Amino acid sequence: MISVSTNKDFISHPLIKPNLVSRREYQEKIFINCLNNNCLVVIPTGLGKTVIALMLAVYRLTEMPKSKVIFLAPTKPLVEQHHKSFLDLTLFPPDSLQSLTGAISPEKRKVIWNQIKVAFMTPQVLQNDLISSLYSIKEVSLIIFDECHRAVGNYAYCFIAKKYMENTGIHQILGLTASPGSTLEKINEIKENLFIDHLEIRTDKDIDVKHYVQKVDNEWIKISLPNEFLEIKRILDEKLKEIYKWLKEKDLLNSFDLNKITRKNLLQLNNTINRRISASRDDNEKFEMFYAKKLQANAIRISHMSELLETQGINALKDYLEKNEEKIKSNTANKSLKELFADKNFKKVQELTYKIQSKGIVHPKLEYLKEILTTQLQENKGSRVLVFAHFRDSVNNIVRYFKEDNIVKAHKFVGQAHKGSDKGLTQKAQIRLLEEFKEGIYNTLVGTSVAEEGLDIAECDLVVFYDVVPSAIRSIQRRGRTGRKKEGKVLILMAEGTRDEGYYWAEKAKERNMRDSLKRIKMSEDGTKKGQSNLLNFIEKTENDKALNQKITNAEQFEIVCDNRETASSVVRNLSLMGINLKLEQLSVGDYVISKRVGIERKSSQDFTNSIKDGRLFKELKDLTDNYDRAILILEEDPFKNSSLSENAIYGAISSIILNLGVTIYKTKDAKETAMFLYQLAKKEQSDSNTTLKLRFDKAPIETSRLLEYLIAGIPGINTLRAKNLLKELKTLQNIFLADIPDLTKIENIGKKIAQEIYKISRYKYKNDH
């Protein structure tokens, strides 16, 4: 048990710079209470949670000088922010504090890992490194999970915590969040997934922190929709009500009241319809249910269009219509979409949308936003504003609206994903943009959810919700972007009589539930301190031990090659927790390889039916049989349950796979059972023979010149074109492998990096240690 009784003034530790922010009382209290526990700290934004993490990291490294600390955050900009905080606030040698991101090659990450004390990472990078056993975390004395409300479901935090707890005896976990969730169940799930045994909870009303909480004014502005919008809304509502009535008549919905049917109800309806299709033996009923699927798909579309119109405006609706019209023109639209756009009443929606848009009528929210931003930036020249919108189309429309504005210098702040012609922002671009925002090159950022979490922009003094989200976590995160170092203001734009209002009150109820849940937990924690927790602690420890008990003795003797895109599934994580030696590769054929002769494709029940419909399945399995003597398809879950395909279609596909392709099919109930089956296959195959794993799937050519190209193209970074260029100039393998780097760089398309790779590989001494 570690004690700090002799060093209560830890904030003056020689490794912490003396200019550290002086909110020391509550921070030090939390720090001391977290010393001997896996601790979850719930603290309002702007109250220096990074400082608490920093103090604990310094303490652990002081107590265990040979250990390391990992600081995890969900995004690269947030990782870089924490890295900078440690550089600014500690006296660690800068080289011992490093960000390890996906942009750094695994080999280089391994080298850096051996040289550092604190690693700042995204969970996806650490997860992949742990799965492929790139380095050991046995010497890690602390992992900090920032924004730990994400530690639910299949998020990488859950796997990392399990892997960490099973791998080291000096473990400590610190979870940090301002908003753990609106229910006790959600908070308890986070506690369980991160093996938390102590909570430190602070609210802005607590005596020891309220003095440091900056004042943030919250104001919501009700906005009336123009009559032109209401005419479109009337047509959409009538169409939606017509669909709901039909679905209610078929006992698929309980009501056709537009106010009672939510998007969640519509999404869940798909499973109900699929069950009815699977269970039915009557062709007429099946026909009705397939028709119901079309209606359900169109109901979701119409509901979405109504939401866009109400909360975002005519430009957002027009963009959505154009995207779908393009699908119809390019013949990539499904039947339900084509039927909806052919409907005469729906054509009226399209006509009105283009007519209103051509008149320049915009959502009144935009006009209010212009007035708000102009006033704010004229009155305070150094002001910085964050505008949040739920949809990326809305972000683009807002930025376009202010494109020629001389006062509002706006830029979008969105995620990395490209959506059609709409390019995302790389994480490097996000970091650069935040710097430009701080410097004043832009005074307004318009962002989606990617801008909500954790970003510490001290200059931000106004946050505008362009729309309302029905999530307590997201609302708290949005509001937390202001009032961090000085007073701030939050304005919420709400379209009157629309789902904006419904979302607002739903979010308020969830926040109230969160406060009540935290209050109950806090009271429970106080009772624990008085000695009432022995039995509960014993039960919790027993449950944690069970959760960790996945490792199989001697499993590391067996190797499985996994496609690196499979790390998103629970299968790979389960294999890693079982202790199997995993190798991540980008496989062109199959998902898993256990020997030269055995290749495996895994399909969830949903992916199985989808791949039958789009034709992928048989091509993928044909490639598998062309490359392996033993081709296996693992079918995870029941393909007949909740399927949109008939039983006959599924049986037909399975029969063809077995009889025509000769593929063995094995059904598992879930990811855990799939992992166990893969382990047993690898154990049997690799115990009975000395077979090696197959990693190249294109067949070696017979003609000698082609064979030379094939061999050279096996070097990392060398494609067929580069292989041809090398052989054309240097003629033989011997000449290529004996060439110096300057000679190699003279060849077309061979840069210094590739030349160094050829030089290194050609002189590398083989080690049979794997």
Side-chain angles (χ1 to χ4, degrees):
M1 207 68 155
I2 298 166
S3 170
V4 289
S5 58
T6 58
N7 191 21
K8 291 218 170 182
D9 196 16
F10 190 77
I11 208 159
S12 61
H13 190 284
L15 280 172
I16 299 177
K17 289 181 183 176
N19 64 341
L20 186 62
V21 287
S22 58
R23 295 173 184 170
R24 51 201 303 176
E25 291 175 16
Y26 71 86
Q27 288 172 337
E28 190 163 316
K29 193 173 178 182
I30 292 171
F31 156 68
I32 290 169
N33 290 341
C34 288
L35 278 176
N36 299 310
N37 305 286
N38 285 345
C39 192
L40 170 58
V41 176
V42 181
I43 189 168
T45 53
L47 290 180
K49 63 180 180 180
T50 305
V51 174
I52 296 164
L54 180 148
M55 291 167 71
L56 194 56
V58 169
Y59 186 82
R60 295 294 281 181
L61 292 171
T62 304
E63 290 293 306
M64 289 164 272
K66 292 184 178 178
S67 71
K68 298 179 189 289
V69 169
I70 296 174
F71 201 134
L72 296 172
T75 64
K76 190 175 176 182
L78 202 44
V79 166
E80 294 298 334
Q81 181 177 292
H82 291 313
H83 182 198
K84 186 175 183 301
S85 294
F86 270 61
L87 287 170
D88 291 345
L89 300 174
T90 72
L91 292 169
F92 284 114
D95 287 349
S96 71
L97 309 172
Q98 293 288 338
S99 295
L100 297 180
T101 68
I104 301 170
S105 70
E107 294 79 13
K108 196 170 179 184
R109 284 204 301 273
K110 185 176 182 179
V111 171
I112 295 170
W113 173 261
N114 292 327
Q115 299 167 347
I116 60 174
K117 298 304 289 179
V118 185
F120 302 86
M121 310 170 79
T122 61
Q124 290 75 22
V125 170
L126 180 57
Q127 175 179 265
N128 287 353
D129 288 353
L130 293 178
I131 287 169
S132 56
S133 301
L134 190 66
Y135 43 76
S136 169
I137 56 169
K138 282 186 177 177
E139 69 270 38
V140 173
S141 59
L142 172 68
I143 298 187
I144 300 156
F145 294 84
D146 191 26
E147 308 298 346
C148 70
H149 50 268
R150 288 178 172 243
V152 293
N154 281 326
Y155 192 68
Y157 276 179
C158 308
F159 165 77
I160 291 166
K162 267 190 182 181
K163 197 77 176 167
Y164 177 54
M165 293 292 285
E166 74 171 23
N167 265 287
T168 175
I170 57 169
H171 54 69
Q172 184 169 14
I173 284 172
L174 176 66
L176 302 170
T177 183
S179 46
S182 56
T183 64
L184 274 172
E185 290 76 18
K186 173 80 185 291
I187 297 167
N188 283 329
E189 185 183 354
I190 295 165
K191 282 180 63 182
E192 186 179 328
N193 289 339
L194 294 183
F195 302 90
I196 298 298
D197 45 38
H198 177 70
L199 274 87
E200 280 292 316
I201 299 166
R202 296 293 188 279
T203 70
D204 53 10
K205 302 288 189 293
D206 284 330
I207 294 169
D208 58 349
V209 301
K210 68 179 182 180
H211 173 68
Y212 302 105
V213 176
Q214 296 291 343
K215 184 185 175 191
V216 176
D217 291 326
N218 289 274
E219 181 185 340
W220 45 276
I221 301 167
K222 280 196 173 184
I223 297 166
S224 299
L225 292 179
N227 290 330
E228 292 89 345
F229 283 26
L230 295 174
E231 175 60 18
I232 294 176
K233 181 170 161 47
R234 182 188 63 77
I235 299 169
L236 290 173
D237 285 352
E238 283 177 2
K239 184 68 183 169
L240 203 52
K241 200 164 189 177
E242 181 187 314
I243 292 173
Y244 288 173
K245 272 187 176 179
W246 190 92
L247 292 170
K248 185 177 183 299
E249 284 170 11
K250 304 302 174 187
D251 295 323
L252 292 166
L253 287 177
N254 295 324
S255 170
F256 56 82
D257 186 336
L258 298 183
N259 296 318
K260 290 182 180 176
I261 304 300
T262 66
R263 184 178 179 82
K264 189 177 178 182
N265 296 142
L266 292 174
L267 291 169
Q268 289 172 340
L269 182 59
N270 191 50
N271 288 338
T272 306
I273 295 169
N274 286 339
R275 279 197 297 271
R276 292 266 289 268
I277 291 170
S278 298
S280 177
R281 295 293 177 268
D282 181 277
D283 287 344
N284 288 330
E285 186 185 1
K286 282 190 177 182
F287 177 79
E288 280 187 342
M289 288 304 103
F290 280 113
Y291 180 63
K293 282 186 79 67
K294 288 198 287 187
L295 292 182
Q296 180 252 0
N298 283 335
I300 290 172
R301 292 184 182 112
I302 295 166
S303 176
H304 179 63
M305 284 185 256
S306 185
E307 182 174 3
L308 286 176
L309 178 69
E310 289 176 358
T311 64
Q312 311 298 319
I314 205 72
N315 287 328
L317 177 59
K318 175 178 164 284
D319 287 348
Y320 181 78
L321 291 173
E322 284 179 341
K323 281 179 189 174
N324 284 292
E325 285 165 4
E326 187 56 41
K327 284 181 184 177
I328 292 167
K329 284 176 189 171
S330 61
N331 205 28
T332 57
N334 57 31
K335 199 172 179 182
S336 60
L337 181 64
K338 289 176 183 174
E339 288 179 4
L340 176 64
F341 274 64
D343 181 89
K344 64 177 183 180
N345 288 326
F346 190 76
K347 285 190 177 297
K348 182 72 174 168
V349 169
Q350 293 170 280
E351 289 168 16
L352 284 170
T353 299
Y354 291 118
K355 184 179 175 184
I356 293 167
Q357 200 269 342
S358 67
K359 288 181 180 178
I361 298 171
V362 296
H363 199 295
K365 280 185 181 182
L366 275 174
E367 292 162 347
Y368 272 90
L369 183 64
K370 183 178 175 65
E371 185 182 332
I372 289 163
L373 297 188
T374 303
T375 303
Q376 174 76 13
L377 295 166
Q378 281 180 332
E379 290 178 357
N380 183 357
K381 296 281 191 281
S383 184
R384 299 288 183 275
V385 184
L386 274 172
V387 179
F388 287 105
H390 184 57
F391 301 107
R392 196 188 278 193
D393 283 347
S394 303
V395 169
N396 292 332
N397 281 322
I398 294 167
V399 172
R400 272 200 300 268
Y401 186 73
F402 288 103
K403 191 174 181 181
E404 306 300 326
D405 199 287
N406 294 322
I407 298 167
V408 181
K409 293 176 283 185
H411 199 291
K412 71 177 183 179
F413 191 87
V414 297
Q416 298 181 79
H418 299 325
K419 298 187 177 180
S421 59
D422 181 23
K423 302 260 188 210
L425 291 175
T426 64
Q427 291 187 328
K428 196 173 180 181
Q430 290 171 10
I431 292 166
R432 186 175 64 248
L433 185 55
L434 287 172
E435 287 303 315
E436 291 172 345
F437 182 59
K438 288 178 182 181
E439 291 166 13
I441 295 169
Y442 302 104
N443 54 29
T444 304
L445 289 185
V446 186
T448 52
S449 58
V450 75
E452 290 172 357
E453 262 181 346
L455 296 176
D456 186 4
I457 304 162
E459 298 82 1
C460 181
D461 46 9
L462 174 63
V463 167
V464 181
F465 289 28
Y466 189 74
D467 47 27
V468 186
V469 286
S471 161
I473 289 174
R474 290 186 62 193
S475 289
I476 290 168
Q477 293 290 343
R478 282 183 174 190
R479 292 200 304 269
R481 296 317 100 216
T482 189
R484 299 177 78 86
K485 303 286 190 303
K486 58 183 179 179
E487 290 187 5
K489 191 170 186 179
V490 175
L491 295 176
I492 302 162
L493 304 183
M494 188 188 303
E496 197 171 6
T498 70
R499 65 195 76 197
D500 265 354
E501 281 197 62
Y503 287 169
Y504 178 80
W505 295 114
E507 187 278 319
K508 285 294 165 201
K510 287 175 181 176
E511 270 199 60
R512 200 162 48 246
N513 287 342
M514 183 187 294
R515 284 194 298 271
D516 291 344
S517 296
L518 289 173
K519 192 175 177 182
R520 287 200 294 275
I521 290 172
K522 200 170 181 181
M523 288 170 67
S524 171
E525 284 278 317
D526 289 342
T528 295
K529 287 172 191 171
K530 293 171 185 173
Q532 298 172 11
S533 66
N534 289 342
L535 180 59
L536 288 173
N537 283 350
F538 174 75
I539 293 169
E540 198 169 277
K541 185 179 184 307
T542 305
E543 291 301 313
N544 284 348
D545 288 345
K546 281 182 188 173
L548 289 170
N549 193 22
Q550 270 187 258
K551 199 154 189 175
I552 297 171
T553 307
N554 298 326
E556 70 280 357
Q557 295 175 12
F558 307 106
E559 185 177 14
I560 298 177
V561 178
C562 312
D563 184 71
N564 55 22
R565 289 157 291 194
E566 278 283 295
T567 55
S569 81
S570 297
V571 175
V572 176
R573 294 174 217 164
N574 276 297
L575 287 168
S576 179
L577 290 167
M578 289 158 69
I580 294 157
N581 184 11
L582 299 178
K583 193 169 185 179
L584 294 180
E585 299 281 346
Q586 186 150 344
L587 299 179
S588 56
V589 177
D591 295 320
Y592 301 93
V593 178
I594 61 171
S595 73
K596 258 187 177 179
R597 68 183 193 129
V598 183
I600 298 148
E601 182 76 26
R602 181 191 74 95
K603 295 283 182 199
S604 67
S605 57
Q606 183 68 53
D607 191 28
F608 181 70
T609 52
N610 288 344
S611 62
I612 292 172
K613 287 191 280 189
D614 62 25
R616 279 183 294 119
L617 180 65
F618 293 99
K619 183 187 179 304
E620 288 170 351
L621 294 179
K622 178 70 170 60
D623 289 343
L624 200 65
T625 56
D626 285 347
N627 283 280
Y628 293 98
D629 296 333
R630 294 283 183 272
I632 299 170
L633 171 65
I634 296 178
L635 193 46
E636 205 171 278
E637 302 161 347
D638 188 348
F640 296 98
K641 193 176 178 182
N642 300 329
S643 174
S644 58
L645 293 176
S646 67
E647 276 189 5
N648 283 342
I650 295 171
Y651 276 126
I654 291 171
S655 301
S656 293
I657 291 166
I658 296 169
L659 298 175
N660 299 340
L661 294 175
V663 174
T664 301
I665 299 179
Y666 184 83
K667 184 179 164 299
T668 62
K669 67 179 180 183
D670 55 27
K672 206 165 185 176
E673 194 173 291
T674 300
M676 180 55 75
F677 178 59
L678 286 168
Y679 162 69
Q680 295 294 347
L681 278 176
K683 183 181 175 184
K684 177 68 176 169
E685 177 71 0
Q686 293 169 24
S687 297
D688 289 356
S689 65
N690 291 320
T691 183
T692 55
L693 294 171
K694 179 175 181 176
L695 296 177
R696 291 192 73 178
F697 302 98
D698 42 340
K699 290 180 180 176
I702 296 168
E703 201 268 314
T704 306
S705 290
R706 300 266 184 210
L707 182 59
L708 293 177
E709 291 171 9
Y710 175 83
L711 290 169
I712 294 296
I715 298 169
I718 303 290
N719 55 22
T720 305
L721 178 63
R722 286 179 177 137
K724 283 181 177 179
N725 290 342
L726 283 162
L727 287 162
K728 188 177 173 184
E729 293 296 324
L730 299 175
K731 308 301 181 188
T732 68
L733 291 181
Q734 184 181 33
N735 290 343
I736 291 170
F737 288 135
L738 289 176
D740 289 325
I741 291 171
D743 295 328
L744 291 167
T745 54
K746 290 176 185 174
I747 294 163
E748 189 181 356
N749 288 325
I750 304 297
K752 188 177 178 182
K753 192 174 178 182
I754 292 174
Q756 287 171 336
E757 188 70 21
I758 296 169
Y759 187 87
K760 184 179 81 174
I761 286 172
S762 66
R763 288 152 179 81
Y764 185 81
K765 290 182 180 178
Y766 176 69
K767 297 173 186 173
N768 187 17
D769 57 359
H770 55 278

